[in-house]
C-alpha cells in the first residue's frame, strides 16, 4: 500500500498509509482528540471523519470548538434528521433538497396538505426522538444505476431528477441517519446523538418552487435554526424578536408613514406622516449641499432610448428599465422611452450646454433624482428595496488634479451628515473596478489608488470589494 | 459614461473632465427605512412627523388646547390637538404607539394656571411648564442639527 504525507497546522507532518481516515489520523495524534473530533479539513475541503484519504495534503481535525465547521455539520445533520422525521410521520411526503443557510437550514417537501404550526411541533418532537436514539451516520458511494433503481423503487421523482442533473462520472454519495437514506455530498457528524436537542427550532413554512422555477411544482419549505447550545439559540431568537419590533414595515403601519399595494409593486404611497419625514430630510440635505457649493438641477424622468443607447444602459441594463412607448403625432412608429434608472446621462446633458472652461471646474451638479429600476418581486422588501426611488445624487465634474480634494471634501460631508443623522460610526467600502460596467475608465488603477489613500486617511475601510455594477452607489469615477 | 463632455483647459485645448459619482443617503426611501429601524421609530424631534400632541383631559380644556397648538405651530413645531372624548391614559398610550415624542396633557389645573403638563415618549411622569417654556424647549430641540 502506498504512503501519503499529511501536514498539520503546527507545521509538522507524518506519513500514513493511503486510505487512512481522518478519525484514524486523529487517534494517531491523541486519543482525546479522536474523542472530540467531528470532521476534518483536507486542503481546505470539509470532509467526514470516516472518509478515506488517498492523497497527501494539509489536514486539520475539527472539534465542536471550531464554530464554522461545527455549525455547518449541525445544521446539515438537522436538515437530514428533519426530513427523516417528516417521512416517518407522513411516509407519502416526497423529499427534495435541504441546504444549510444563514442560521439554520431549510428542506423542501412535496405534500398536498399544508404543514401547520402543530405539524412543526410534531416534527420537532420526532426529531428529538431521533437524536435520543443516537443513530449512527454512515456513507457509501453508489453508482448511478443503483441510485436510480433505488429512487424508482422508493417513488422519489425529485431525487431522480437531481441524479439526472449530477454530471456524468461524478460520484453519487448516499448518507444514512439510522435507516433513513439521502443522496448528499456531505459531510456529516458521526451519530444523531451529537445534535443539540435543546438548541434548534423549526421557525416557519413558506412556498418554494422546485428548482426555483415558477413553471415547476410548488413545494413546502420548512425552515429551522440551530446552534451549538441553548444559550446561542436563545440569543438568536431574542435578536429576531427585537428586530421584528424595529421592522420599518411594522413601524410604518403603527406610525402611519406609508403603504404599498399590488397595483404599484415596489412604489411607495407616502402618507402625511411619512412624507413629513421625507421632506424634512430633503430640506436638510438641500441645505447641506448648498453650503458645500453644489448646484441643484432637475432632469426628465422619461427619456428617449437614443440617449440610453449612447450611455450604454440600453445594452447593459435594459432588463432593469421601465419602458414607455408613446404614439407621437404624425410619426409612423411608436417612440420608445425609458424611465431613467440613474441620473448620470442627464447630468452630462446639463454639463454639455454651453462651453465649459477650466475656470468652471469643479462643477458639482446635484439632483434629488427620481429613478425607476425593475427589481424581481421576490427581492423587494418594504422601503429597503423598491422599484421607484429618489437618489440624493450628484456628479462632480473636475480635472484630474482636483480628484483628491473633491474626494476629501465629499468624505467630510458624508461623515458630518451621517453624524447628524445618528450614525457616528460607519464603514467605508472601497469598490474597485467592476467587471461589467457601463462607464469606461482611463487611468482607473491610478485613481483607485488615490481613492484608497484618501479614504484610509479619512475613515476606516472595512474591506476592499469588487463592485457589482451598476449599483445604487455607482462607481465613483468615469470620464 | 460614454457621453462626451469637454472643457477648455488653461492650454486652450479641449480636455475631458473627470466625473465623480456620489450619493450620501443612496435613496431617500431606503435611508428612511434605515432611520426608522435605527431609532426603533423614536426619531429625534426634528425628524419626527408629529412632534407634539396636545391632549385634553376634560372637554372644558378644549379652547386652551387649541391656543397651545396655535402657539406651538407659530413657533414652527408640528403640533396637533387631541380633543377626542377619550381618557387621557388611552390618548397617551395611542400616541406612544405612534411614537409621538412629546405629549402635552391639559386639564383644568393647566387651564387656570396657564401651564402645560409635558410627557416625553418612554419616560415616566410629567413636568409642568409654562406655555413659553415649553415652546422654547421644544423648538430648540426641533432645530435641525445643521442649524443649531
Ligand atoms: Zn445533505
Ligand atoms: Zn452617476
Amino acid at each position: 500500500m502506498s504512503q501519503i504525507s499529511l501536514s498539520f497546522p503546527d507545521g509538522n507532518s507524518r506519513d500514513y498509509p493511503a486510505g487512512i481516515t481522518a478519525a484514524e489520523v486523529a487517534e494517531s495524534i491523541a486519543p482525546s482528540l479522536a474523542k472530540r473530533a467531528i470532521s476534518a479539513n483536507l486542503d481546505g475541503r470539509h470532509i467526514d471523519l470516516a472518509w478515506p484519504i488517498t492523497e497527501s495534503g494539509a489536514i486539520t481535525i475539527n472539534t465542536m470548538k471550531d464554530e464554522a465547521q461545527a455549525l455547518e455539520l449541525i445544521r446539515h445533520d438537522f436538515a437530514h434528521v428533519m426530513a427523516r422525521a417528516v417521512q416517518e410521520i407522513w411516509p407519502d411526503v416526497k423529499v427534495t433538497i435541504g441546504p444549510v443557510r444563514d442560521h439554520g437550514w431549510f428542506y423542501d417537501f412535496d405534500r398536498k396538505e399544508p404543514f401547520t404550526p402543530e405539524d412543526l411541533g410534531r416534527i420537532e418532537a420526532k426529531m428529538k426522538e431521533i437524536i435520543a436514539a443516537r443513530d449512527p451516520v454512515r456513507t457509501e458511494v453508489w453508482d448511478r444505476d443503483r441510485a436510480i433503481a433505488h429512487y424508482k423503487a422508493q417513488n422519489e421523482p425529485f431525487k431522480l431528477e437531481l441524479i439526472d442533473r449530477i454530471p456524468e462520472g461524478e460520484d453519487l454519495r448516499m448518507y444514512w441517519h439510522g435507516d433513513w437514506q439521502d443522496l448528499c455530498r456531505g459531510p456529516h457528524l458521526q451519530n444523531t446523538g451529537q445534535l443539540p436537542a435543546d438548541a434548534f427550532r423549526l421557525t416557519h413554512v413558506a412556498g418554494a418552487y422546485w428548482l426555483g422555477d415558477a413553471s415547476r411544482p410548488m413545494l413546502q419549505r420548512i425552515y429551522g435554526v440551530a446552534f451549538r447550545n441553548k444559550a446561542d439559540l436563545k440569543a438568536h431568537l431574542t435578536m429576531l424578536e427585537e428586530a421584528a419590533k424595529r421592522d420599518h414595515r411594522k413601524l410604518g403601519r403603527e406610525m402611519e408613514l406609508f403603504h404599498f399595494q399590488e397595483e404599484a409593486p415596489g412604489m411607495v404611497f407616502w402618507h402625511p406622516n411619512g412624507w413629513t419625514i421625507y421632506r424634512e430630510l430633503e430640506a436638510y440635505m438641500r441645505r447641506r449641499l448648498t453650503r458645500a457649493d453644489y448646484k441643484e438641477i432637475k432632469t426628465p424622468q422619461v427619456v428617449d432610448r437614443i440617449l440610453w443607447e449612447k450611455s450604454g444602459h440600453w445594452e447593459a441594463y435594459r432588463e432593469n428599465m421601465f419602458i414607455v412607448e408613446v404614439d407621437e403625432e404624425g410619426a409612423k412608429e411608436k417612440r420608445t422611452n425609458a424611465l431613467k434608472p440613474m441620473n448620470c446621462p442627464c447630468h452630462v446633458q446639463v454639463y454639455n450646454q454651453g462651453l465649459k472652461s477650466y475656470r468652471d471646474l469643479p462643477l458639482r451638479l446635484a439632483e434629488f433624482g427620481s429613478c425607476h429600476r425593475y427589481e424581481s418581486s421576490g427581492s423587494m422588501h418594504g422601503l429597503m428595496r423598491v422599484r421607484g426611488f429618489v437618489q440624493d445624487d450628484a456628479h462632480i465634474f473636475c480635472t484630474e488634479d482636483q480628484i483628491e480634494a473633491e474626494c476629501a471634501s465629499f468624505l467630510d460631508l458624508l461623515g458630518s451628515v451621517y453624524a447628524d443623522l445618528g450614525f457616528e460610526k460607519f464603514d467605508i467600502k472601497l469598490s474597485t473596478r467592476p467587471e461589467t460596467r457601463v462607464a469606461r475608465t482611463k487611468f482607473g488603477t491610478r485613481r483607485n489608488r488615490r481613492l484608497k489613500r484618501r479614504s484610509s486617511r479619512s475613515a476606516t475601510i472595512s474591506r476592499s470589494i469588487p463592485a457589482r455594477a451598476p449599483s445604487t452607489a455607482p462607481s465613483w469615477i468615469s470620464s | 459614461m460614454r457621453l462626451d463632455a469637454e472643457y477648455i483647459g488653461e492650454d486652450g485645448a479641449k480636455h475631458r473632465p473627470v466625473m465623480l459619482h456620489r450619493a450620501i443617503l443612496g435613496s431617500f426611501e431606503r435611508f428612511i427605512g434605515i432611520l426608522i429601524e435605527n431609532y426603533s421609530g423614536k426619531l429625534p424631534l426634528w425628524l419626527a412627523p408629529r412632534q407634539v400632541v396636545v391632549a385634553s383631559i376634560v372637554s372644558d380644556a378644549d379652547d386652551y388646547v387649541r391656543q397651545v397648538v396655535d402657539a406651538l405651530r407659530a413657533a414652527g413645531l408640528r403640533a396637533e390637538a387631541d380633543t377626542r372624548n377619550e381618557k387621557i391614559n388611552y390618548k397617551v398610550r395611542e400616541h406612544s404607539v405612534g411614537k409621538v415624542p412629546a405629549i402635552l396633557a391639559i386639564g383644568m389645573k393647566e387651564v387656570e394656571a396657564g401651564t402645560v403638563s409635558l410627557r416625553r415618549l418612554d419616560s415616566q411622569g410629567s413636568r409642568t411648564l409654562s406655555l413659553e417654556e415649553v415652546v422654547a424647549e421644544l423648538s430648540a430641540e426641533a432645530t435641525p442639527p445643521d442649524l443649531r
Side-chain angles (χ1 to χ4, degrees):
Chain A
M1 187 173 262
S2 64
Q3 293 283 112
I4 57 166
S5 164
L6 296 176
S7 63
F8 301 100
D10 63 6
N12 291 326
S13 58
R14 263 204 234 180
D15 290 344
Y16 292 97
I20 191 164
T21 66
E24 291 161 341
V25 172
E27 187 71 41
S28 79
I29 299 168
S32 62
L33 178 63
K35 236 184 231 138
R36 288 180 296 120
I38 54 170
S39 67
N41 275 60
L42 185 66
D43 289 337
R45 204 159 46 88
H46 197 186
I47 61 165
D48 282 323
L49 275 189
W51 196 245
I53 302 168
T54 53
E55 269 160 47
S56 299
I59 193 169
T60 313
I61 304 294
N62 302 316
T63 70
M64 280 295 178
K65 287 218 167 77
D66 297 295
E67 188 175 18
Q69 286 82 5
L71 287 176
E72 184 192 329
L73 292 170
I74 287 171
R75 289 164 181 167
H76 193 173
D77 281 279
F78 264 122
H80 282 240
V81 167
M82 181 176 81
R84 172 178 158 186
V86 166
Q87 285 201 317
E88 282 184 10
I89 302 171
W90 300 280
D92 292 342
V93 172
K94 302 295 170 216
V95 287
T96 65
I97 50 165
V100 171
R101 62 171 306 260
D102 301 339
H103 305 284
W105 74 91
F106 65 74
Y107 205 112
D108 290 348
F109 298 98
D110 186 25
R111 179 184 185 229
K112 264 202 203 71
E113 306 74 30
F115 287 110
T116 63
E118 293 72 45
D119 289 342
L120 294 191
R122 267 183 88 183
I123 298 167
E124 279 186 0
K126 177 63 84 179
M127 290 167 73
K128 285 178 182 161
E129 282 174 30
I130 296 170
I131 294 168
R134 306 184 58 83
D135 282 338
V137 178
R138 63 187 180 85
T139 179
E140 280 176 15
V141 175
W142 277 21
D143 67 42
R144 191 168 292 258
D145 291 343
R146 187 177 174 199
I148 291 171
H150 168 79
Y151 279 123
K152 273 193 179 143
Q154 295 288 314
N155 188 21
E156 291 283 7
F158 299 100
K159 290 290 180 191
L160 285 166
E161 199 175 328
L162 285 177
I163 292 171
D164 219 39
R165 300 171 75 91
I166 296 173
E168 204 65 52
E170 205 169 285
D171 281 345
L172 298 186
R173 303 242 323 248
M174 291 293 179
Y175 275 87
W176 285 263
H177 287 69
D179 292 331
W180 191 82
Q181 178 179 354
D182 202 1
L183 174 74
C184 177
R185 272 195 217 101
H188 281 285
L189 291 165
Q190 293 72 54
N191 72 74
T192 59
Q194 288 167 291
L195 290 175
D198 58 355
F200 80 98
R201 177 79 59 86
L202 302 187
T203 55
H204 61 291
V205 185
Y209 291 110
W210 169 235
L211 302 173
D213 179 346
S215 67
R216 306 298 309 272
M218 173 68 93
L219 305 169
Q220 294 187 68
R221 175 169 295 177
I222 303 182
Y223 288 91
V225 292
F227 293 84
R228 285 180 295 180
N229 54 59
K230 194 176 172 180
D232 287 357
L233 173 70
K234 210 174 151 222
H236 176 75
L237 295 176
T238 309
M239 191 268 292
L240 285 186
E241 269 169 41
E242 289 302 314
K245 274 189 224 155
R246 277 198 315 269
D247 190 310
H248 76 282
R249 294 167 299 180
K250 173 177 170 283
L251 287 167
R253 273 192 304 278
E254 290 173 357
M255 297 170 72
E256 299 174 65
L257 303 179
F258 57 84
H259 84 271
F260 289 91
Q261 67 186 56
E262 212 20 69
E263 288 81 357
M267 318 268 181
V268 189
F269 289 80
W270 287 106
H271 296 196
N273 288 341
W275 190 241
T276 302
I277 302 175
Y278 185 108
R279 281 189 298 116
E280 194 67 54
L281 188 60
E282 185 188 57
Y284 165 80
M285 286 308 298
R286 182 171 281 128
R287 290 192 302 271
R288 298 303 314 255
L289 291 173
T290 306
R291 240 168 74 185
D293 203 22
Y294 284 76
K295 309 290 176 213
E296 186 175 330
I297 58 174
K298 195 77 182 167
T299 62
Q301 289 186 49
V302 179
V303 179
D304 194 299
R305 70 179 272 183
I306 291 169
L307 189 73
W308 303 114
E309 281 169 354
K310 275 193 207 156
S311 71
H313 288 89
W314 195 261
E315 190 188 352
Y317 204 60
R318 166 74 184 75
E319 70 271 28
N320 291 88
M321 286 158 73
F322 283 86
I323 308 303
V324 185
E325 289 194 327
V326 181
D327 282 311
E328 293 269 357
E329 253 176 282
K332 278 194 234 82
E333 283 178 22
K334 282 182 195 295
R335 182 175 176 136
T336 308
N337 304 283
L339 294 184
K340 67 177 170 189
M342 46 182 73
N343 306 297
C344 331
C346 292
H347 286 202
V348 175
Q349 306 312 305
V350 173
Y351 176 92
N352 281 347
Q353 294 295 309
L355 203 59
K356 296 287 180 299
S357 98
Y358 66 94
R359 282 187 224 93
D360 298 316
L361 305 183
L363 179 61
R364 306 179 192 89
L365 295 180
E367 177 175 8
F368 299 128
S370 282
C371 297
H372 290 82
R373 293 180 193 173
Y374 180 81
E375 305 280 354
S376 69
S377 50
S379 70
M380 284 187 293
H381 178 83
L383 294 176
M384 300 298 194
R385 194 90 188 255
V386 287
R387 288 177 177 172
F389 55 92
V390 178
Q391 287 182 321
D392 64 321
D393 202 3
H395 294 92
I396 303 170
F397 296 87
C398 64
T399 67
E400 286 258 330
D401 294 338
Q402 292 165 338
I403 294 176
E404 193 161 343
E406 286 304 312
C407 290
S409 59
F410 172 65
L411 287 173
D412 287 345
L413 178 63
L414 181 91
S416 166
V417 167
Y418 283 179
D420 278 354
L421 295 173
F423 305 95
E424 295 288 348
K425 278 182 69 182
F426 55 91
D427 289 338
I428 290 182
K429 294 179 181 181
L430 182 66
S431 303
T432 46
R433 300 171 69 181
E435 274 166 32
T436 60
R437 50 177 291 162
V438 176
R440 208 169 32 174
T441 56
K442 273 192 291 178
F443 318 120
T445 327
R446 197 165 96 221
R447 285 172 184 166
N448 280 339
R449 223 182 298 127
R450 275 198 210 164
L451 270 179
K452 207 175 262 179
R453 197 166 76 221
R454 194 63 249 175
S455 43
S456 60
R457 226 183 276 161
S458 304
T460 49
I461 302 182
S462 58
R463 64 200 163 109
S464 179
I465 47 156
R468 266 167 303 168
S471 66
T472 25
S475 58
W476 277 32
I477 298 181
S478 66
S479 55
Chain B
M1 187 58 48
R2 291 177 217 156
L3 294 165
D4 296 331
E6 296 172 340
Y7 70 93
I8 308 296
E10 251 174 302
D11 54 3
K14 283 181 178 171
H15 298 269
R16 176 147 298 177
V18 173
M19 186 176 171
L20 299 173
H21 305 247
R22 44 111 293 168
I24 295 174
L25 307 180
S27 84
F28 279 90
E29 288 75 6
R30 200 173 98 88
F31 201 88
I32 290 170
I34 293 168
L35 278 176
I36 294 165
E37 296 197 348
N38 190 48
Y39 283 109
S40 302
K42 294 163 197 165
L43 295 165
L45 199 63
W46 73 278
L47 276 173
R50 297 194 298 155
Q51 294 171 321
V52 199
V53 169
V54 186
S56 57
I57 298 171
V58 288
S59 58
D60 284 345
D62 288 0
D63 285 343
Y64 181 61
V65 164
R66 277 185 279 274
Q67 272 178 46
V68 173
V69 167
D70 279 348
L72 292 164
R73 286 186 177 168
L77 288 156
R78 294 186 283 271
E80 281 170 29
D82 184 354
T83 53
R84 290 174 302 166
N85 189 18
E86 298 283 357
K87 291 237 161 33
I88 187 68
N89 284 343
Y90 173 88
K91 294 182 184 179
V92 169
R93 212 176 313 122
E94 192 184 89
H95 297 308
S96 300
V97 170
K99 303 286 189 282
V100 176
I103 297 171
L104 303 183
I106 310 286
M108 287 322 286
K109 203 176 80 192
E110 284 77 16
V111 173
E112 278 148 28
T115 57
V116 298
S117 170
L118 169 65
R119 282 164 194 264
R120 298 303 303 259
L121 183 60
D122 273 358
S123 71
Q124 296 298 319
S126 57
R127 287 188 293 138
T128 303
L129 300 168
S130 73
L131 185 52
E132 297 75 51
E133 283 169 335
V134 84
V135 168
E137 181 174 324
L138 293 179
S139 41
E141 191 182 328
T143 306
D146 62 313
L147 298 178
R148 276 174 204 161

